[in-house]
Amino acid sequence: RSWLRSALCLFPLPLFDMKVCVVGGAGGIGQPLCMLVAMDPRVTELCVYDLTISAVPAEGVAADISHINTRCKVTSCAVDKDAKAVDVAETALTNCNLVLVPAGMPRKPGQDRKDLLDINCKIAFNVVQACAKFCPDAVVALIVNPVNSVVPAMNELWLKAGLSEKKIVGVTSLDCVRAEKFVHEMTGTPVDAINIPVVGGHAGTTILPLFSQCPAAKNIPA
């Protein structure tokens, strides 16, 4: 849920009647993310976007989520794996305020994040190129590894289109969630009272949780 909260915090409040598209919405991360989006009172339209080869059809995910008793209208868009989003995603992306992208190949055991760079950059490029055309004012939140490399690369694409670099972001609040749970388990402090800022990036050698900034964590031995 913190991923969605982080993305929605990019918008000034109150902002209602938002359209959101979740690219990769039928996947393991995409499905619960779509549910949380549909439950947010600021969202009036959600598009579940995924490939036709997805193990769970995007249409089925959209049908299930559409039963949630909120005002959010839920649609789906399933595209061929070889299709270019810029050719097929106009309906899904037009008028979007926020595009969440939990897409790409996951990291396998023993695999380095840089091994994913080539394939996942191509996936992100496909999506970001279409966003630049159909929803240039949207915030595009990338949950695509390796985030440290994918986000700057997509930022360059956004800039070449003459758009604001502030609209391309990487979602890494998972690092904060993990650090806060660690402190909770070590100290017994209520989770709601713990706030651990994390700097440095989203990679094993650069992630730096600032435990010293949290009173509850100051007494944890190094």
Side-chain angles (χ1 to χ4, degrees), residues 35 38-41 43 63-74:
M35 182 186 72
M39 293 171 64
D40 191 285
V43 179
D64 286 343
I65 292 176
S66 70
H67 297 160
I68 297 174
N69 59 339
T70 66
R71 64 178 183 147
C72 183
K73 174 186 176 183
V74 185

Side-chain angles (χ1 to χ4, degrees), residues 38-203:
M39 293 171 64
D40 191 285
R42 287 168 287 185
V43 179
T44 54
E45 186 174 353
L46 165 67
C47 180
V48 182
Y49 182 106
D50 217 312
L51 301 178
T52 53
I53 61 172
S54 174
V56 180
E59 183 179 10
V61 175
D64 286 343
I65 292 176
S66 70
H67 297 160
I68 297 174
N69 59 339
T70 66
R71 64 178 183 147
C72 183
K73 174 186 176 183
V74 185
T75 61
S76 66
C77 179
V79 302
D80 185 81
K81 67 179 181 65
D82 296 320
K84 292 183 178 180
V86 74
D87 296 328
V88 298
E90 181 174 3
T91 300
L93 295 176
T94 298
N95 296 324
C96 274
N97 303 102
L98 173 64
V99 180
L100 295 165
V101 191
M105 295 293 291
R107 187 162 57 126
K108 298 177 182 178
Q111 189 178 37
D112 191 89
R113 279 186 169 84
K114 65 183 179 182
D115 297 329
L116 300 177
L117 182 59
D118 185 48
I119 185 168
N120 281 355
C121 250
K122 290 177 181 177
I123 293 171
F125 174 85
N126 190 29
V127 175
V128 171
Q129 182 185 43
C131 290
K133 180 177 181 180
F134 299 124
C135 53
D137 294 323
V139 170
V140 181
L142 299 170
I143 314 170
V144 183
N145 278 322
V147 172
N148 284 9
S149 301
V150 171
V151 172
M154 295 307 104
N155 183 264
E156 289 301 314
L157 173 63
W158 207 247
L159 287 173
K160 286 182 179 179
L163 303 173
S164 171
E165 73 278 6
K166 295 180 180 179
K167 295 298 185 73
I168 297 285
V169 300
V171 181
T172 61
S173 52
L174 174 62
D175 301 330
C176 298
V177 170
R178 286 172 170 163
E180 289 163 7
K181 184 62 178 289
F182 168 76
V183 172
H184 165 71
E185 291 178 341
M186 291 289 291
T187 67
T189 304
V191 175
D192 292 343
I194 301 172
N195 181 22
I196 307 292
V198 178
V199 300
H202 186 65

